[in-house]
Amino acid sequence: MKKGFFQYIGDSFKILFNNRILLFAGLMEVLLMGAMLIITFGGAVGGPRQGMFSVIFFVVVMGLIASFMLAGKINMAKKVYDEDEEEPTEIGDYFEGMKLFGLKIFGGSLFLMVCILLVFIPLLYLIARIGSLFLGIVLVIGLFFVMIFLTLWDTILVVDDIDVASAFGDSISFVKGNFWVVLGLTIFTGLITTGDVLDPGGMIGDGQEAGLGSSLDLSVLYQWIVNTFGRAGWIISGALLTVLSVIATMIFVDLYMDRRNRYGSFS
């Protein structure tokens, strides 16, 4: 029987409880976010005296680091869900994933970002000059759906150990056959993660939250926590994000590996 939306979420929490070593990946992301907050709020980046080159360099470096971290996290989750894997998941699997897939994820994310900027920004500027709200809405919706079809490219790249171009194509094929559950899980993971520099596709709205964006915008969940609890809200958010950032990755690894193994490649 095919697993549904809520079952993927529930199973991820159960599996994480039995494989708490995965929280190491979430902790690393929270530490990176903390460093970003300190650097940004401290005025080291983005201040009035900082040049554009410094900001771009900082964003690229953070994106590179975050891409390696996402590669490690996906690799750990992959090992947990691999039925043929006999050895328990270890922290070493995190660093193995970074070594094998970090540059690939960064390169793919950078390529996507450049493509979106080269196509989306000029079109948006043209539509703004025309003054058509309808065309603007169509463009934004179109971009959203493009990114939905590319949501699983990084997951597939690591799970199947393939090149970036093949991962893009396989993501599109997989989402075609599983659109509604992918859409639902993408919205869910967008709500439980931050949508900041921990998104290698952050600037272009990738579903798996984790990089190249330089903003520190929080999702509705974390913004509410910070606004409600003040300084303590940052501690609460950090603890929650440690868990939920891992859950967000596990859900997509489970979805892909489960449906690929049960029903063929992309049914």
Side-chain angles (χ1 to χ4, degrees), residues 47-166:
R49 297 182 180 180
Q50 297 297 320
M52 181 60 68
F53 176 79
S54 298
V55 175
I56 293 175
F57 177 77
F58 177 75
V59 171
V60 171
V61 170
M62 287 297 102
L64 181 63
I65 294 173
S67 296
F68 273 80
M69 293 170 66
L70 178 60
K73 183 170 61 169
I74 296 175
N75 196 56
M76 290 184 79
K78 165 192 170 182
K79 188 171 181 180
V80 167
Y81 286 107
D82 189 349
E83 297 179 353
D84 297 326
E85 183 59 57
E86 298 179 355
E87 296 295 327
T89 303
E90 302 174 345
I91 292 178
D93 297 312
Y94 180 81
F95 294 103
E96 180 185 36
M98 295 175 70
K99 177 182 177 182
L100 295 175
F101 307 108
L103 278 178
K104 286 185 177 182
I105 289 181
F106 176 72
S109 299
L110 190 61
F111 173 77
L112 277 178
M113 184 186 70
V114 171
C115 288
I116 294 298
L117 291 178
L118 289 177
V119 176
F120 181 74
I121 298 302
L123 286 176
L124 188 61
Y125 174 78
L126 180 61
I127 291 173
R129 291 293 299 269
I130 297 174
S132 174
L133 178 61
F134 173 75
L135 290 178
I137 294 174
V138 170
L139 179 62
V140 171
I141 293 176
L143 177 62
F144 173 77
F145 278 99
V146 167
M147 297 318 303
I148 288 294
F149 278 96
L150 293 174
T151 292
L152 279 90
W153 78 268
D154 44 16
T155 297
I156 294 173
L157 183 145
V158 175
V159 170
D160 289 344
D161 191 5
I162 57 179
D163 59 83
V164 173
S166 297

Side-chain angles (χ1 to χ4, degrees), residues 245-260:
S245 65
V246 177
I247 290 294
T249 297
M250 292 176 65
I251 286 171
F252 286 107
V253 173
D254 185 20
L255 170 67
Y256 178 68
M257 294 184 70
D258 173 63
R259 298 205 171 184
R260 181 200 62 179

Side-chain angles (χ1 to χ4, degrees), residues 167-232:
F168 287 155
D170 286 356
S171 178
I172 293 172
S173 298
F174 182 83
V175 175
K176 282 182 180 179
N178 303 275
F179 179 79
W180 293 110
V181 68
V182 172
L183 177 62
L185 291 176
T186 297
I187 294 173
F188 173 75
T189 56
L191 293 174
I192 67 172
T193 50
T194 60
D196 57 22
V197 292
L198 299 181
D199 179 4
M203 290 187 69
I204 52 179
D206 193 330
Q208 293 209 48
E209 309 289 326
L212 293 175
S214 60
S215 69
L216 287 166
D217 295 333
L218 299 177
S219 68
V220 174
L221 171 63
Y222 297 99
Q223 191 65 62
W224 177 81
I225 292 174
V226 171
N227 291 340
T228 302
F229 297 98
R231 293 184 178 180

